[in-house]
Amino acid sequence: MNTVQRGKLAIAAAAIGVGLLSVTGCGFVNAQQTSHQYSASDGVKADLGKLQLRNMLIVASGENQPGRVIGAVFNQSNSDATLSISGANGSQTEVPVKAMSETYLNDSADPAILSSAGVIPGGLTPVTIRSGSDSATINVPVVDGTLPEYAKYLPSPSPSASPSGSATPGATGTETSPATPSATSTSSAAGH
């Protein structure tokens, strides 16, 4: 090998070395995004005892309008469970989940309706989830019907909607926080 060929080989090796240093240096300085767990969806996830909630969100047309809870609930226990969801202004709904199965809150399930979304679409609303003795408060995103995939889940805002059998009767009567008369009179708009 002559000197010209050795020089070209040395330059090529140096270029490859600099390239490797710059590529591997990024991982040294910046955190690896694959090591952070997050909900890769519009909704949020939460674990409550043996219940796993995935892609949970509320679809509503406004802050004080009814909101439909959508997402999935997985029950990993050997017994049936009931997930209670409590939102703004004393609104509440319940979702039954069979043992060792899942319930998808979509077109094939009875709507889980809260009488008030609690925040304007685009915000997060605190929601208390409960099953048996397990309880947690999570911040759930509220979306509207701007995106076509959510438009079909918008509940009707009519105040004359009949209360749902899935809402807990008297839930607003036991609340100590002030509620507007319209919020208590429409405990649920699930009459579909």
Side-chain angles (χ1 to χ4, degrees):
M1 188 179 274
N2 64 24
T3 22
V4 174
Q5 289 175 331
R6 276 191 237 146
K8 287 181 182 178
L9 185 60
I11 291 172
I16 290 173
V18 169
L20 287 175
L21 284 175
S22 66
V23 171
T24 58
C26 291
F28 180 72
V29 176
N30 298 323
Q32 294 178 1
Q33 291 302 314
T34 55
S35 65
H36 298 287
Q37 291 195 12
Y38 65 96
S39 294
S41 62
D42 294 333
V44 295
K45 69 177 191 167
D47 293 332
L48 184 67
K50 294 285 186 174
L51 295 182
Q52 295 178 337
L53 287 67
R54 298 294 181 260
N55 198 23
M56 301 300 287
L57 54 91
I58 298 172
V59 183
S61 59
E63 177 177 2
N64 295 317
Q65 298 298 316
R68 181 171 178 178
V69 180
I70 61 172
V73 183
F74 299 92
N75 184 355
Q76 297 186 339
S77 74
N78 292 325
S79 58
D80 293 351
T82 300
L83 173 68
S84 296
I85 304 170
S86 302
N89 300 325
S91 61
Q92 185 172 341
T93 188
E94 292 183 343
V95 177
V97 186
K98 298 278 185 198
M100 300 302 290
S101 70
E102 62 277 337
T103 298
Y104 296 99
L105 303 174
N106 57 19
D107 298 332
S108 62
D110 289 337
I113 307 288
L114 295 172
S115 62
S116 175
V119 298
I120 60 170
L124 295 171
T125 187
V127 170
T128 301
I129 53 175
R130 214 175 267 112
S131 181
S133 62
D134 297 320
S135 176
T137 300
I138 59 174
N139 289 320
V140 178
V142 177
V143 299
D144 60 12
T146 303
L147 295 173
E149 58 266 27
Y150 297 129
K152 64 184 176 181
Y153 297 115
L154 277 172
S156 74
S158 75
S160 62
S162 63
S164 167
S166 65
T168 303
T172 57
T174 59
E175 291 294 321
T176 58
S177 63
T180 61
S182 63
T184 58
S185 65
T186 58
S187 65
S188 178
H192 289 263

